[in-house]
Amino acid sequence: MKKIFLTGAATMVLLACIVSQNTMAQTIRKFRKTNMVAELPLDPAVRMGKLANGFTYYIRHNEEPKNRVVFYLANKAGSVLERNEQQGLAHFLEHMNFNGTKHFPKSDLVNYLQKTGVRFGADLNAYTSFDETVYQLPLPSDDPEILTQGIQIMRDWAQEATLDPDEINKERGVVLEEKRLGKGAQDRMQRQYWPVMLNHSRYATRMPIGTDSVLTGFKPETIRSFYRDWYRPDLQALIVVGDIDVNEMEKSILKKFNDLKNPKIERTRVRYSIPLTGKNQFLTVTDKEMTSTVLQIIIKHPGIALKTAGDFRQSVIRELFNFMMNERITELQRQANPPFISGGMGIGELLGGIDQFSVFVNANPGQLEKGLKAIWRETDRVKKLGFTQTELDRAKQNYLSKMEAGVKESKKTNSDSYVNEYLQYFLKGTASPGIQFEYTLLKKSLPGINLSDLNNLTRAQIKTYDRDILIMAPDKDKAILPDEKTVLTWMGQVEQEKQLQYKNIVNEQPLLTSKPKSGRIVSVSTDSLLNVTTIHFANHVKVILKPTDFKDNQILFSGSTPGGSSLYSDNDYESASNAAGIISSFGAGNYNPIQLNNYLSGKQFGVHMQMSERTTGVNGSAVPAELENALELLYAYYTQPRKDKDLFVGLITKSKASLENRANSPMNVFQDTVYAVLGNHNIRRSGPSISKIDQISLDRAFDIYKERFGNASGSTFTFVGNFDVKAIQPLLLKYIGGLPALDSVMPAKDLDINIPEGNYEKKVFKGTEDKATVLLVWSGKFKYSQSNLYTMDALKEVLTIRLLERLREEESGVYTPSASVNVTKLPQERFSLIVNFGCAPSNVDKLIASTLDEVAKLIKSEPEPVNVNKWRAEVLRSQETEVKTNEWWLGYISGQIQNEEHLEDARIYTGLINAVKPTDVKDLAVKYLNGENFIKFILLPESSKIQ
């Protein structure tokens, strides 16, 4: 059980567990005999044990996904335990566990796992926080040797890092480059306000990334000392969830971890905390690169655990509070004249045993007073007058429906969800009784939660002490920022107002202004091998159905119509490209956006309209019981759009306000430059700007929306999930077959906007930090085929492997070099391969030269077969699980249709992957990476231009 008031009701949906009904029933009956202060029982489906040395383990059998297992090694040791001379070494030690252990010297661990199909960074990973360090390792479980090695890896991570001095020295540069990536406006401002916000506690001086002086100069013995003190079995736990035999796994754990040793002299694991002083604090920080003015109010409270039924009830009350408060804030943002760019409010965890009630407002330029007063007015309103019964009823229904959806999906819960659940149980003692138990508790607790519970919580949270007020703003606005007295005056003025009771806007009308007329089926065909049914309707709309049992309570769908914004002139481009987002934001049918939001509350479906350059369409999802509601909303968006001038003006005003200081950010400037150059300086490829926002016309956007969505001819809709093909057809007849069609299809235009040919170098000088960003782009025409697609993917992955080995491991010059590839078939067969990394400005030329040298090696010689085999193992292992998800099939079918490719290609993927040879990769490198079309983009600090 997670602290649901931290992450929202949706997190509770993910806490599903699979247990026998008898065992769960017995657990629930037993607990009912206890009181609200008794600790909740641990989910009986997980086996928990503790060895004599204090090492804890949790094991659970779960077959989602099949033939996979997830290992987590958790250490109750993070940066807060570091001595002054060790700052950053908890995180550094995490790195070193990937750079040599007893059974996997140097880089053998990463090499071995890549050969099994585990991707470094994506699958194989770890994190270090203030209070813990956690390692994660997902593995195939259908290979006994790999499974055995996986347990050995966890054992090595627990206490057998080699900490070789040479490897330590090589890793210094990598960690410093990781630290460099985080430098910028946010980091600079955080270092100013962090000590104040954390009341100058130990947490304020123990950022996990550490200090440059320690990272560059620490002695190997210093990190070994931290390792001996804190990597010990009484502070560690192994969590194993997946398609494994629990009994056999337990035997392996007992055998491997029983001999772990605690130090002869154990240092006390102090539980540090943030003291509550009772004082109020005010701080203003500015930065040249800050892009907006943000004010945050943080009211600190002692943290509340989540261990008992009473805690669970309180967490539900907090979640209801958060939902209702943010519903009100959402309404403010949907006004015709929104008082701020964005805002939020809620109760959650801060750090060091402290919870917070926080309010933030991202103000319109020059309107901080207006923004703060608007959001504080809602805070004051709820403190004085409380919530309404209608709000509470809606919040309860929303919470309950999400929990019910989770219960229905409990048999298909992913192993990662369980692992994270037990991780919190070990690290924080957060209860984990399982979703069936929680659902029983919720049904018992929810009816008894009333307005007085919410009002009591509100009064307790919105107190006048232990309060911090923080303002972050651009340097140029420093002179006009208010002082503490002014801000308190603004808040006081609001508190002196006579607040009116919140009025909940409920629309009793049906969603649709007129009901759809059912269409007519022209033909139905079935591909039994792919289990796909295709239905053609008389309105020239095609529906592809792929029923699955991957999820019990999920249906995903999408729809696309050829055309998109390419059909409109450059003068209409901004109106066309934004039409779907703008017009759908006004609501649909009889419902304005606030009414529609209230209507959707508690319902488990969503529909989102979109328009790209080449298509117009929709994406959505629904639980089976609410599919008709989703289709009704889809029909409303297509046929009954709304037009609202006042809301349009507010939306445009907010959009322009969010862009006013955009150019302060070095990365924004760099990205806009990249887009402009790669788009051959076409106005459709340039970055966002106020002048482009000014080009949007409401009338033109509305007309374009109706043109594109008002003609469904040529559309293809795809549905994937848990449904019966025959049972779903009446709904499709009504809402899809009934869409209006003009018997004409306007295919997308080829705008001939391509990356320019030739060789270019573009340097951007922006920013004050000693950091650089490099983007290298190869591009050109491409021979499109399924075989070439996979070979190009192999080329990208082989290059990534070599860049990691050379730029990171050998030269210690970068943290995460990456290569990505983009291939298009329509409107033209083209490719782009992009290499990206951050580094020190002084290393830019050297690292670019190293990258080009690796590319030259691929052109000159075949890549090492082992690297091609690593790519093959990764792709095949990923595909084993991906093809058993609704998301993959929806993306695959939609992509094949839009690319005018055959659905049958899915049957040959494995053969194509296995057919890729090193010589094929070399041939593609020779053909496409020969340097004929190559662009270098380099972001450098402003000081480099002077030099």
Side-chain angles (χ1 to χ4, degrees):
M1 181 189 297
K2 297 179 180 176
K3 289 187 177 180
I4 53 177
F5 52 84
L6 303 183
T7 52
T11 60
M12 295 296 293
V13 176
L14 300 177
L15 307 186
C17 60
I18 306 168
V19 295
S20 72
Q21 293 300 314
N22 289 337
T23 302
M24 177 56 73
Q26 291 170 6
T27 304
I28 293 174
R29 285 196 297 270
K30 180 179 179 181
F31 182 78
R32 283 174 178 166
K33 298 178 182 178
T34 64
N35 55 45
M36 295 291 281
V37 298
E39 288 197 7
L40 298 176
L42 178 64
D43 182 352
V46 60
R47 182 174 299 179
M48 174 187 172
K50 181 171 286 192
L51 306 183
N53 55 16
F55 188 84
T56 306
Y57 61 85
Y58 305 85
I59 315 171
R60 181 183 185 128
H61 179 80
N62 184 55
E63 297 183 11
E64 190 62 39
K66 186 76 172 172
N67 297 327
R68 291 293 186 277
V69 62
V70 182
F71 292 92
Y72 267 42
L73 178 70
N75 299 267
K76 293 180 180 178
S79 61
V80 76
L81 299 177
E82 297 165 346
R83 300 192 299 268
N84 287 337
E85 70 273 17
Q86 293 175 329
Q87 292 183 63
L89 298 195
H91 170 250
F92 201 106
L93 182 54
E94 170 213 313
H95 276 241
M96 292 309 300
N97 253 329
F98 294 92
N99 285 275
T101 63
K102 180 178 179 180
H103 295 89
F104 300 91
K106 299 184 182 298
S107 61
D108 285 4
L109 173 62
V110 174
N111 284 331
Y112 169 75
L113 290 171
Q114 285 178 327
K115 293 174 185 177
T116 70
V118 176
R119 295 166 296 175
F120 182 55
D123 300 324
L124 174 68
N125 216 327
Y127 76 86
T128 302
S129 186
F130 291 95
D131 289 300
E132 75 265 6
T133 304
V134 178
Y135 300 84
Q136 68 179 60
L137 176 61
L139 286 175
S141 62
D142 54 351
D143 187 324
E145 180 182 349
I146 294 176
L147 198 58
T148 298
Q149 289 288 62
I151 298 168
Q152 184 63 64
I153 291 168
M154 307 310 286
R155 174 63 174 81
D156 277 19
W157 279 344
Q159 212 168 65
E160 292 183 330
T162 53
L163 299 178
D164 178 84
D166 291 338
E167 292 296 321
I168 288 174
N169 288 331
K170 286 170 60 177
E171 199 65 19
R172 293 181 198 270
V174 175
V175 176
L176 287 168
E177 288 307 317
E178 181 181 2
K179 189 173 188 291
R180 189 190 308 276
L181 290 176
K183 292 181 178 180
Q186 292 299 326
D187 176 66
R188 291 191 294 268
M189 290 189 295
Q190 185 185 56
R191 291 183 182 278
Q192 294 181 62
Y193 67 72
W194 199 242
V196 176
M197 184 181 297
L198 301 185
N199 292 345
H200 301 280
S201 65
R202 188 175 180 87
Y203 288 95
T205 59
R206 289 297 184 270
M207 294 295 291
I209 196 62
T211 66
D212 286 359
S213 60
V214 170
L215 295 175
T216 56
F218 74 88
K219 304 296 184 184
E221 178 54 31
T222 308
I223 195 171
R224 292 191 188 111
S225 175
F226 184 90
Y227 192 44
R228 287 193 300 268
D229 285 338
W230 303 118
Y231 272 61
R232 63 196 210 208
D234 64 332
L235 297 178
Q236 293 176 322
L238 178 63
I239 305 169
V240 185
V241 181
D243 191 2
I244 43 92
D245 184 304
V246 173
N247 293 325
E248 291 301 315
M249 180 58 65
E250 184 174 41
K251 291 177 183 177
S252 298
I253 292 173
L254 294 174
K255 181 179 179 180
K256 280 289 182 183
F257 294 86
N258 199 46
D259 63 346
L260 288 174
K261 298 292 191 296
N262 288 298
K264 291 182 179 180
I265 301 177
E266 292 187 11
R267 295 187 63 193
T268 301
R269 200 322 186 173
V270 178
R271 277 290 174 187
Y272 293 95
S273 61
I274 297 172
L276 293 179
T277 64
K279 298 179 181 178
N280 293 336
Q281 303 176 107
F282 181 88
L283 186 65
T284 296
V285 294
T286 64
D287 194 274
K288 178 181 178 181
E289 297 170 12
M290 182 66 175
T291 58
S292 61
T293 297
V294 176
L295 185 147
Q296 188 171 7
I297 300 172
I298 301 159
I299 303 176
K300 303 178 192 126
H301 298 266
I304 296 179
L306 184 50
K307 297 183 178 181
T308 69
D311 297 336
F312 177 82
R313 185 177 187 275
Q314 287 302 311
S315 73
V316 173
I317 294 172
R318 288 188 174 204
E319 180 64 19
L320 297 174
F321 173 91
N322 285 347
F323 176 84
M324 290 186 286
M325 284 306 308
N326 280 291
E327 286 287 281
R328 291 192 179 188
I329 303 304
T330 298
E331 288 191 15
L332 284 177
Q333 294 180 106
R334 288 175 172 165
Q335 290 180 352
N337 184 23
F340 42 71
I341 296 173
S342 60
M345 186 183 306
I347 305 169
E349 186 178 36
L350 180 57
L351 193 65
I354 296 297
D355 288 347
Q356 62 175 333
F357 169 76
S358 63
V359 178
F360 86 90
V361 58
N362 185 358
N364 291 315
Q367 297 184 25
L368 181 58
E369 178 182 1
K370 179 181 179 181
L372 173 60
K373 284 186 172 180
I375 202 163
W376 195 248
R377 187 170 291 113
E378 286 307 317
T379 307
D380 188 58
R381 189 204 307 267
V382 77
K383 185 176 182 180
K384 289 176 179 176
L385 303 176
F387 294 101
T388 67
Q389 188 62 48
T390 304
E391 286 180 287
L392 179 57
D393 291 343
R394 191 169 71 247
K396 284 184 176 183
Q397 180 56 43
N398 181 73
Y399 196 106
L400 184 62
S401 65
K402 289 184 177 180
M403 176 69 86
E404 289 174 340
V407 171
K408 290 178 181 178
E409 202 63 81
S410 61
K411 293 182 180 179
K412 300 294 176 67
T413 300
N414 194 282
S415 293
D416 287 329
S417 297
Y418 292 124
V419 169
N420 286 309
E421 178 89 350
Y422 307 141
L423 180 64
Q424 296 307 310
Y425 181 84
F426 172 71
L427 293 174
K428 299 179 181 179
T430 304
S432 179
I435 198 168
Q436 295 288 350
F437 195 102
E438 294 172 31
Y439 184 50
T440 300
L441 277 181
L442 182 65
K443 290 192 294 184
K444 181 180 179 180
S445 302
L446 204 57
I449 295 175
N450 51 45
L451 288 174
S452 63
D453 292 311
L454 274 301
N455 295 337
N456 291 336
L457 176 65
T458 301
R459 286 189 290 269
Q461 289 291 319
I462 310 175
K463 60 184 184 181
T464 58
Y465 56 94
D466 284 321
R467 182 181 68 193
D468 297 343
I469 298 176
L470 169 67
I471 300 176
M472 296 175 286
D475 271 349
K476 67 181 185 64
D477 293 337
K478 191 172 185 177
I480 64 173
L481 294 177
D483 57 16
E484 181 177 12
K485 181 179 179 180
T486 301
V487 171
L488 293 178
T489 298
W490 292 346
M491 295 167 65
Q493 290 170 345
V494 169
E495 292 163 2
Q496 293 301 312
E497 297 174 358
K498 181 180 180 180
Q499 303 295 352
L500 300 176
Q501 182 58 269
Y502 170 80
K503 293 183 180 180
N504 194 43
I505 303 174
V506 179
N507 191 337
E508 300 295 339
Q509 299 181 79
L511 173 62
L512 297 176
T513 58
S514 58
K515 294 182 179 180
K517 297 180 180 179
S518 293
R520 178 173 57 86
I521 293 177
V522 174
S523 66
V524 178
S525 60
T526 301
D527 183 329
S528 58
L529 291 178
L530 289 177
N531 190 28
V532 167
T533 298
T534 302
I535 303 175
H536 290 268
F537 291 98
N539 60 350
H540 304 288
V541 173
K542 178 171 66 176
V543 173
I544 298 175
L545 304 175
K546 169 72 175 176
T548 71
D549 59 1
F550 305 141
K551 290 287 186 180
D552 292 332
N553 202 38
Q554 183 188 70
I555 298 175
L556 305 180
F557 58 88
S558 68
S560 66
T561 308
S565 62
S566 66
L567 300 178
Y568 298 91
S569 68
D570 287 349
N571 290 335
D572 283 336
Y573 172 68
E574 293 301 325
S575 297
S577 63
N578 289 284
I582 290 174
I583 304 305
S584 64
S585 74
F586 299 152
N590 287 317
Y591 286 47
N592 66 31
I594 294 177
Q595 294 166 339
L596 183 58
N597 183 67
N598 291 340
Y599 166 75
L600 294 175
S601 180
K603 295 181 173 62
Q604 300 300 307
F605 70 89
V607 179
H608 306 283
M609 311 305 288
Q610 59 186 29
M611 185 183 297
S612 67
E613 188 165 278
R614 297 186 56 79
T615 63
T616 303
V618 62
N619 279 308
S621 64
V623 298
E626 296 185 19
L627 179 60
E628 181 166 10
N629 290 333
L631 292 176
E632 183 182 45
L633 181 56
L634 178 152
Y635 185 87
Y637 276 136
Y638 267 84
T639 65
Q640 299 171 21
R642 296 172 64 95
K643 185 177 181 180
D644 193 311
K645 182 178 180 180
D646 291 336
L647 289 178
F648 174 76
V649 171
L651 182 64
I652 293 299
T653 300
K654 188 168 72 170
S655 297
K656 291 167 71 172
S658 68
L659 293 174
E660 183 162 311
N661 297 306
R662 175 180 168 80
N664 288 359
S665 165
M667 190 52 66
N668 286 344
V669 174
F670 183 62
Q671 289 176 344
D672 288 351
T673 302
V674 171
Y675 294 150
V677 173
L678 295 184
N680 220 352
H681 297 283
N682 189 287
I683 62 172
R684 297 179 184 237
R685 297 292 189 270
S686 57
S689 67
I690 291 176
S691 62
K692 294 177 79 170
I693 296 294
D694 283 333
Q695 295 173 28
I696 301 173
S697 159
L698 172 61
D699 291 338
R700 191 68 185 115
F702 189 70
D703 289 343
I704 290 172
Y705 184 97
K706 289 194 299 181
E707 289 171 5
R708 303 311 325 137
F709 290 100
N711 176 20
S713 288
S715 299
T716 300
F717 290 85
T718 303
F719 290 79
V720 179
N722 185 17
F723 56 81
D724 179 83
V725 171
K726 289 187 178 180
I728 199 177
Q729 289 187 27
L731 294 179
L732 300 177
L733 270 171
K734 183 177 181 180
Y735 296 106
I736 303 295
L739 289 174
L742 305 178
D743 297 332
S744 63
V745 179
M746 297 182 67
K749 292 182 179 180
D750 180 359
L751 301 176
D752 199 28
I753 305 174
N754 298 309
I755 298 174
E757 296 181 350
N759 287 270
Y760 300 84
E761 178 178 279
K762 181 65 178 179
K763 290 183 178 180
V764 176
F765 297 93
K766 185 73 175 177
T768 59
E769 292 289 351
D770 186 38
K771 60 187 291 189
T773 300
V774 175
L775 203 70
L776 308 177
V777 183
W778 291 260
S779 66
K781 296 180 179 179
F782 184 75
K783 180 63 176 177
Y784 189 96
S785 70
Q786 294 296 326
S787 177
N788 277 349
L789 283 177
Y790 278 107
T791 306
M792 181 61 84
D793 189 63
L795 171 60
K796 175 264 298 181
E797 189 61 27
V798 165
L799 182 57
T800 298
I801 291 171
R802 279 302 301 146
L803 293 179
L804 277 168
E805 292 172 347
R806 181 162 178 178
L807 304 189
R808 174 175 167 137
E809 303 302 330
E810 296 174 17
E811 301 182 8
S812 301
V814 304
Y815 175 57
T816 53
S818 65
S820 60
V821 65
N822 179 53
V823 173
T824 61
K825 180 184 178 183
L826 299 172
Q828 298 179 24
E829 296 183 359
R830 300 188 66 86
F831 87 97
S832 62
L833 188 146
I834 300 175
V835 169
N836 177 271
F837 56 82
C839 64
S842 59
N843 285 337
V844 165
D845 292 339
K846 171 189 172 184
L847 293 171
I848 290 177
S850 295
T851 300
L852 296 180
D853 184 51
E854 290 301 322
V855 172
K857 289 177 181 178
L858 286 173
I859 293 173
K860 183 178 180 180
S861 306
E862 296 176 5
E864 294 181 31
V866 65
N867 286 341
V868 176
N869 289 334
K870 286 178 181 178
W871 162 80
R872 195 183 338 270
E874 291 177 8
V875 173
L876 290 175
R877 281 299 186 182
S878 296
Q879 192 180 66
E880 286 176 357
T881 55
E882 288 174 351
V883 298
K884 296 178 182 178
T885 65
N886 293 327
E887 290 80 3
W888 187 89
W889 279 101
L890 182 70
Y892 167 73
I893 294 173
S894 301
Q896 292 294 97
I897 294 299
Q898 291 182 24
N899 267 334
E900 300 176 4
E901 293 282 296
H902 301 293
L903 296 184
E904 293 80 4
D905 287 345
R907 302 173 188 164
I908 63 173
Y909 279 177
T910 300
L912 292 173
I913 294 167
N914 284 323
V916 176
K917 302 184 295 293
T919 184
D920 300 324
V921 175
K922 176 183 180 296
D923 290 343
L924 247 64
V926 170
K927 187 172 183 179
Y928 296 120
L929 303 186
N930 52 33
E932 290 182 2
N933 299 317
F934 175 62
I935 305 177
K936 288 189 288 187
F937 296 97
I938 307 170
L939 172 63
L940 294 164
E942 293 156 17
S943 58
S944 297
K945 189 174 184 179
I946 299 174
Q947 297 171 2

